[in-house]
Amino acid sequence: MRNLRLSDPLVQNAVAGVILGLGPGIYVAITLLGAGGGPANYTRMVNVANAVLYTYDFRSAPTADHGLNSFCLHDCRVWFFIGWFSGSFVTTFGPTITLMVGTLGYPIYVGSLWYFTNTAHEWFPIVAGAFLGITANLIWTAAAYISFSYSTERTRGSFISMQWGLLSVFSTLGSLVAFGINFNASSLQVPISVYIVFILLMVSGFFVALFAIIAPSEVRRRDGTPLAHFPHEGLWQELKNQRRLFRDWKLLAMFIPMFASEVPIIVLSSLNSLYFNIRTRSLNSLMFNVMQIIGAIWIGLMLDNWKISSRRTRGVVTVTAVAVLVMAGWIGMTVWLYKNPMDLLNPPLFDWTDGPFGGFFILNLIFGMNMVVYQVTVQWIISSFTNDPEQLARLAGLVKGVLAGGVAAAFGTEAAGLTQLNVIAYNFTVQAVGLVLMFAMAWKCVSATNYKKEENVIPPADVQAGKEIEK
């Protein structure tokens, strides 16, 4: 039995996963209800707010009287900029403060959706989306920093997937709350009690970060070794280090995979709100999150499976398996939409007792796994380039910044009024191109090990003793 302690990397990673669950996890639950839990005709406003969230560009934020195409033009500029520097925020202030600040935007955002369902005023959700665009970047960067740098090369896939699994557990619990309340609901929107429960859960994440996240220098592996030496570099040197990211061809090659990582949730949330009534939306949300848990377990086992001879081979095999799942989902969704065309003026609001639900239900399960396995694989490939915690913090910020740009683009296509088939075609293409690049990078750039190549990194005791860690 492992003797768990707060300074254990595994415990710190689990705590970060809980914080993600209480913030982004609950956010995922309400996003998957579609239209922010409101009626189907609120979908447009929620897509506007979410586009602002992921772009944080006030100049491109439209009012109710203006078009939304400008979101597509500005989709990742400012958020990408924030993501670029969020890694420096982690290295300067530490993961504790970063996670605390990162939790603040979520309850405000859900409160703004509650406000909108009662007043129909759009300003609060849009402003709250912009604020969440800043804080969410910080919480995701700090959590990714922990999973990247606290793990060893043997356990990195499991650490990344653990966070996603815990996030999905909380998303599932949130979806269960909504599903239980909405099981016999005749209303087109969720009741106020759902918003209240979600806000209280989100606020608790601040206190978990305050009391349970410790400084990286205090973390010790099970063998007693620290993670690394943590040199204190000045601001100018940090900026120079950030600039070097954009000279690294490997990161440039991974741009599209990062960009495409999280688009399934946008597609599913919009289709869920446009095609189904509230209780069926709640069921779809619940099962999407359940499949994220299963996907997190599966992808962690794939990436850390030492029955496969090398890191490179594991990466290639995993990308291939992910590609099969992803392609099946997008092709199936295209067929389903052809069979069930959408009339935006008269949405069908299917129940789970109606015929079209069955096919969508299966696709919803596939996309739930896609949501996790695609981006965990992307993060595993990128984090395999180094073990240096300072560099991994910068990479974590870059990953989340580019990912958010992709989400903004996907929300922008929805908010701009494109047909659902065109939205599917765009997202299908982006993820397919990303898979090709992931395969190439796993084959070309994932090395056997980075230990003993970076002076700030302290290898685990078995590596220091000369034991072989890679076949």
Side-chain angles (χ1 to χ4, degrees):
M1 182 70 179
R2 182 167 181 155
N3 184 22
L4 298 179
R5 47 191 166 71
L6 198 57
S7 61
D8 190 316
L10 181 68
V11 174
Q12 286 294 293
N13 192 62
V15 171
V18 170
I19 295 169
L20 286 178
L22 291 169
I26 302 300
Y27 166 80
V28 167
I30 199 166
T31 298
L32 284 169
L33 286 172
N41 59 359
Y42 284 12
T43 302
R44 174 191 171 277
M45 185 287 303
V46 174
N47 283 332
V48 171
N50 280 307
V52 174
L53 188 166
Y54 287 101
T55 56
Y56 189 53
D57 189 340
F58 287 107
R59 289 176 295 174
S60 67
T63 66
D65 299 322
H66 289 78
L68 302 175
N69 289 334
S70 56
F71 277 119
C72 299
L73 300 175
H74 299 287
D75 50 23
C76 66
R77 183 175 62 200
V78 176
W79 179 291
F80 182 82
F81 182 79
I82 295 171
W84 182 18
F85 287 98
S86 60
S88 296
F89 193 98
V90 174
T91 59
T92 302
F93 296 100
T96 302
I97 292 177
T98 307
L99 286 169
M100 288 168 60
V101 175
T103 63
L104 299 178
Y106 288 97
I108 294 174
Y109 180 73
V110 173
S112 75
L113 296 180
W114 180 9
Y115 169 84
F116 179 77
T117 60
N118 287 282
T119 66
H121 295 158
E122 296 185 358
W123 70 269
F124 190 11
I126 292 175
V127 172
F131 179 65
L132 180 56
I134 298 172
T135 61
N137 204 317
L138 295 176
I139 192 173
W140 276 110
T141 299
Y145 165 76
I146 289 173
S147 65
F148 290 179
S149 62
Y150 290 17
S151 59
T152 65
E153 291 177 347
R154 294 178 65 98
T155 61
R156 187 150 303 159
S158 299
F159 268 56
I160 298 171
S161 61
M162 174 191 288
Q163 288 190 1
W164 265 106
L166 287 169
L167 180 150
S168 301
V169 167
F170 280 85
S171 295
T172 301
L173 293 175
S175 297
L176 277 171
V177 170
F179 180 65
I181 292 173
N182 295 321
F183 184 81
N184 293 313
S186 58
S187 172
L188 296 178
Q189 64 188 56
V190 300
I192 290 175
S193 55
V194 172
Y195 293 107
I196 294 174
V197 170
F198 285 178
I199 289 171
L200 291 175
L201 288 171
M202 288 173 164
V203 169
S204 66
F206 177 91
F207 298 99
V208 175
L210 174 63
F211 293 111
I213 295 294
I214 65 175
S217 59
E218 298 176 8
V219 176
R220 294 292 184 273
R221 301 187 184 102
R222 192 179 185 186
D223 59 22
T225 57
L227 304 174
H229 304 293
F230 294 91
H232 297 286
E233 298 179 326
L235 178 61
W236 179 247
Q237 183 60 42
E238 182 62 33
L239 293 176
K240 289 172 65 177
N241 291 334
Q242 290 284 2
R243 186 178 61 183
R244 292 193 185 100
L245 295 180
F246 298 93
R247 298 178 180 177
D248 189 335
W249 69 270
K250 293 183 291 186
L251 297 179
L252 296 176
M254 288 297 292
F255 185 92
I256 292 178
M258 289 186 277
F259 193 80
S261 291
E262 205 165 299
V263 297
I265 190 174
I266 292 82
V267 175
L268 266 292
S269 65
S270 289
L271 292 177
N272 206 21
S273 67
L274 292 170
Y275 275 94
F276 300 100
N277 61 23
I278 190 64
R279 74 170 190 164
T280 308
R281 284 156 56 183
S282 298
L283 175 61
N284 286 333
S285 171
L286 172 62
M287 295 311 301
F288 186 97
N289 288 311
V290 169
M291 293 308 294
Q292 285 192 89
I293 299 173
I294 295 173
I297 295 170
W298 174 72
I299 200 67
L301 293 174
M302 286 286 292
L303 291 169
D304 288 345
N305 183 1
W306 284 83
K307 293 180 180 179
I308 301 176
S309 60
S310 70
R311 284 209 301 175
R312 174 179 296 166
T313 305
R314 289 199 302 277
V316 169
V317 170
T318 300
V319 172
T320 303
V322 169
V324 172
L325 178 77
V326 169
M327 294 298 103
W330 287 117
I331 293 171
M333 187 61 76
T334 303
V335 173
W336 190 87
L337 285 173
Y338 266 116
K339 292 182 178 180
N340 299 278
M342 163 59 62
D343 179 3
L344 290 174
L345 298 178
N346 187 28
L349 299 180
F350 294 129
D351 188 69
W352 62 51
T353 59
D354 297 323
F357 169 74
F360 187 90
F361 182 77
I362 299 300
L363 293 168
N364 184 62
L365 301 181
I366 294 174
F367 274 86
M369 290 193 69
N370 178 343
M371 174 75 175
V372 174
V373 300
Y374 193 104
Q375 64 179 291
V376 169
T377 305
V378 169
Q379 292 177 37
W380 182 86
I381 292 172
I382 291 174
S383 65
S384 72
F385 298 159
T386 180
N387 290 322
D388 188 324
E390 303 285 319
Q391 181 69 354
L392 286 169
R394 300 179 194 108
L395 293 180
L398 181 66
V399 168
K400 297 306 177 181
V402 178
L403 177 153
V407 172
F411 271 123
T413 60
E414 295 282 1
L418 299 180
T419 67
Q420 288 302 312
L421 281 172
N422 285 335
V423 171
I424 292 292
Y426 162 76
N427 290 298
F428 186 178
T429 302
V430 172
Q431 282 211 318
V433 173
L435 284 166
V436 173
L437 292 169
M438 287 161 64
F439 186 93
M441 297 305 293
W443 178 262
K444 176 72 175 177
C445 299
V446 175
S447 62
T449 182
N450 294 312
Y451 286 132
K452 300 183 179 180
K453 298 177 183 179
E454 299 165 306
E455 61 181 20
N456 288 333
V457 177
I458 301 174
D462 58 345
V463 177
Q464 295 184 41
K467 294 182 180 179
E468 186 179 40
I469 64 168
E470 185 79 36
K471 296 180 181 178

